[in-house]
């Protein structure tokens, strides 16, 4: 029945040690052998996903990757861009001003400068370390209004970020796609960008219907793809709001929840690819 599986990485495919378990790896390989397209769908930049794509052998011209929370989607083998929706320097400057007023740090991904921030902070350092990226400290006011920006993040320790979210002007939610991707990250994307739009673009490219799609995730930035999918699956460790919109809840990311869901819905004797 299912032809496409889209997997969030952190908190879903990856365990607490940021590794793919042998069980998850084997289940994904078996699904792919059965003809199912498996896509990694992450808020990370491609650089932070590449080692896991390589580990899973996802590198052919029939493979796709969704990164920056759906702001970028491309064919892994050919580099063909399937979807690209970004922001600009004007938006980054405005969001930096809001972040300062709300008591949060800010960083952004620039197509020219990579990971940029006006001030070093522990959370931007986490972003850089996880994804193997250098950090460029620069005043956002020096960006031209049309400077290509992929996404902007407000960052703070979790309690403070909750306060930022509560105080966020409603106009920002109308102007951007706003999603919390981690307890300390609040992401601002092009309003046409989210993981749901990214998965939908891949499915349309392959001629696959939503009912033939499984999506798995654990956080707010996964909601759009869980709602799009014929089968939206949340992890046991997911946010409560994520569990509430899911069709099914699998085991946690430390209990090979991805593998168990694939086995149940794709690999079991009574499951078959349409």
């Amino acid at each position: 029945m299912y032809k496409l599986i889209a997997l969030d990485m952190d908190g879903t495919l990856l365990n607490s040690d940021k590794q793919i378990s042998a069980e998850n790896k084997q289940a994904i390989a078996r699904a792919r052998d059965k003809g199912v397209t498996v896509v990694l769908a992450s808020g990370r930049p491609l650089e932070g996903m590449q080692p896991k794509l390589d580990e899973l052998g996802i590198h052919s011209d029939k493979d796709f990757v969704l990164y920056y929370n759906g702001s970028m989607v491309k064919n892994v083998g050919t580099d063909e861009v399937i979807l690209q929706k970004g922001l600009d320097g004007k938006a980054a400057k405005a969001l930096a001003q809001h972040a300062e007023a709300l008591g949060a740090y800010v960083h952004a991904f620039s197509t020219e400068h990579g990971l940029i921030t006006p001030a070093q902070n522990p959370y931007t350092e986490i972003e850089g370390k996880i994804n193997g990226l250098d950090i460029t400290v620069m005043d956002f006011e020096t960006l031209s209004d049309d400077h290509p920006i992929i996404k902007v993040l407000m960052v703070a320790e979790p309690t403070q970020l909750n306060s930022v979210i509560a105080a966020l002007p409603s106009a920002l939610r109308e102007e951007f796609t706003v999603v919390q991707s981690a307890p300390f990250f609040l992401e601002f994307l092009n309003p046409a960008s989210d993981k749901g739009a990214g998965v939908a673009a891949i499915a349309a490219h392959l001629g696959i219907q939503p009912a033939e799609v499984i999506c798995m995730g654990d956080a707010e930035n996964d909601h759009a793809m869980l709602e799009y999918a014929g089968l939206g699956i949340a992890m046991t460790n997911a946010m409560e709001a994520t569990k509430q919109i899911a069709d099914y809840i699998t085991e946690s990311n430390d209990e090979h929840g991805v593998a168990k869901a694939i086995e149940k819905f794709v690999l079991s004797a009574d499951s078959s690819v349409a």
Side-chain angles (χ1 to χ4, degrees), residues 79-91:
D79 280 337
E80 177 191 1
V81 174
I82 305 301
L83 181 69
Q84 180 173 352
K85 300 284 184 180
L87 300 175
D88 57 26
K90 183 178 180 180

Side-chain angles (χ1 to χ4, degrees), residues 98-118:
H98 281 292
E100 183 177 5
L102 293 167
Y105 294 108
V106 66
H107 66 241
F109 288 88
S110 157
T111 59
E112 181 180 342
H113 304 295
L115 178 56
I116 61 174
T117 183

Side-chain angles (χ1 to χ4, degrees), residues 260-271:
K260 290 175 180 176
I262 291 175
E263 287 163 3
K264 178 178 179 65
F265 294 106
V266 177
L267 301 176
S268 64
D270 58 351
S271 295

Side-chain angles (χ1 to χ4, degrees), residues 37-142:
T37 298
V38 178
V39 173
L40 300 191
S42 178
R44 292 188 184 205
L46 186 57
E47 294 91 336
M49 300 176 70
Q50 194 63 56
K52 303 306 182 187
L53 292 168
D54 293 340
E55 188 175 343
L56 293 170
I58 297 176
H59 46 57
S60 79
D61 59 8
K62 294 182 180 179
D63 290 316
F64 301 85
V65 63
L66 184 160
Y67 50 114
Y68 289 128
N69 277 324
S71 295
M72 292 288 295
V73 178
K74 77 171 187 175
N75 182 299
V76 178
T78 66
D79 280 337
E80 177 191 1
V81 174
I82 305 301
L83 181 69
Q84 180 173 352
K85 300 284 184 180
L87 300 175
D88 57 26
K90 183 178 180 180
K93 288 183 280 191
L95 288 168
Q97 292 169 2
H98 281 292
E100 183 177 5
L102 293 167
Y105 294 108
V106 66
H107 66 241
F109 288 88
S110 157
T111 59
E112 181 180 342
H113 304 295
L115 178 56
I116 61 174
T117 183
Q120 285 279 20
N121 63 84
Y123 304 101
T124 299
E125 290 172 4
I126 289 172
E127 181 89 84
K129 182 177 180 180
I130 287 174
N131 295 304
L133 299 174
D134 293 330
I135 301 168
T136 300
V137 177
M138 62 184 300
D139 184 351
F140 280 20
E141 289 300 322
T142 64

Side-chain angles (χ1 to χ4, degrees), residues 4-272:
L4 172 63
I5 301 172
L7 302 172
D8 169 58
M9 286 180 59
D10 298 282
T12 300
L13 173 63
L14 307 184
N15 61 24
S16 295
D17 294 324
K18 302 297 184 184
Q19 301 299 314
I20 304 174
S21 70
E23 290 85 347
N24 283 351
K25 200 178 301 184
Q26 182 182 46
I28 289 169
R30 289 178 62 200
R32 296 181 74 219
D33 286 345
K34 196 172 180 180
V36 178
T37 298
V38 178
V39 173
L40 300 191
S42 178
R44 292 188 184 205
L46 186 57
E47 294 91 336
M49 300 176 70
Q50 194 63 56
K52 303 306 182 187
L53 292 168
D54 293 340
E55 188 175 343
L56 293 170
I58 297 176
H59 46 57
S60 79
D61 59 8
K62 294 182 180 179
D63 290 316
F64 301 85
V65 63
L66 184 160
Y67 50 114
Y68 289 128
N69 277 324
S71 295
M72 292 288 295
V73 178
K74 77 171 187 175
N75 182 299
V76 178
T78 66
D79 280 337
E80 177 191 1
V81 174
I82 305 301
L83 181 69
Q84 180 173 352
K85 300 284 184 180
L87 300 175
D88 57 26
K90 183 178 180 180
K93 288 183 280 191
L95 288 168
Q97 292 169 2
H98 281 292
E100 183 177 5
L102 293 167
Y105 294 108
V106 66
H107 66 241
F109 288 88
S110 157
T111 59
E112 181 180 342
H113 304 295
L115 178 56
I116 61 174
T117 183
Q120 285 279 20
N121 63 84
Y123 304 101
T124 299
E125 290 172 4
I126 289 172
E127 181 89 84
K129 182 177 180 180
I130 287 174
N131 295 304
L133 299 174
D134 293 330
I135 301 168
T136 300
V137 177
M138 62 184 300
D139 184 351
F140 280 20
E141 289 300 322
T142 64
L143 297 170
S144 63
D145 283 354
D146 61 355
H147 183 92
I149 295 289
I150 300 165
K151 66 176 182 176
V152 178
L153 291 84
M154 292 187 188
V155 296
E157 62 88 16
T159 302
Q160 175 61 19
L161 190 62
N162 288 338
S163 298
V164 169
I165 292 169
L168 200 68
S170 58
L172 292 183
R173 293 192 178 275
E174 296 171 4
E175 187 176 354
F176 304 97
T177 291
V178 183
V179 291
Q180 186 174 6
S181 56
F184 37 78
F185 287 157
L186 186 66
E187 306 204 9
F188 295 80
L189 311 168
N190 182 292
S193 293
D194 58 47
K195 288 189 182 182
V199 174
I202 296 170
H205 187 77
L206 295 174
I208 294 172
Q209 299 302 311
E212 300 169 318
V213 176
I214 296 175
C215 292
M216 300 191 215
D218 73 306
E220 185 184 14
N221 63 323
D222 300 313
H223 288 191
M225 71 173 184
L226 265 61
E227 291 172 334
Y228 164 80
L231 180 60
I233 298 177
M235 316 303 289
T236 298
N237 54 285
M239 294 178 175
E240 275 308 312
T242 309
K243 293 179 185 178
Q244 289 174 11
I245 68 166
D247 301 305
Y248 180 80
I249 298 174
T250 188
E251 300 296 328
S252 77
N253 63 319
D254 287 325
E255 298 169 308
H256 328 297
V258 165
K260 290 175 180 176
I262 291 175
E263 287 163 3
K264 178 178 179 65
F265 294 106
V266 177
L267 301 176
S268 64
D270 58 351
S271 295
S272 61

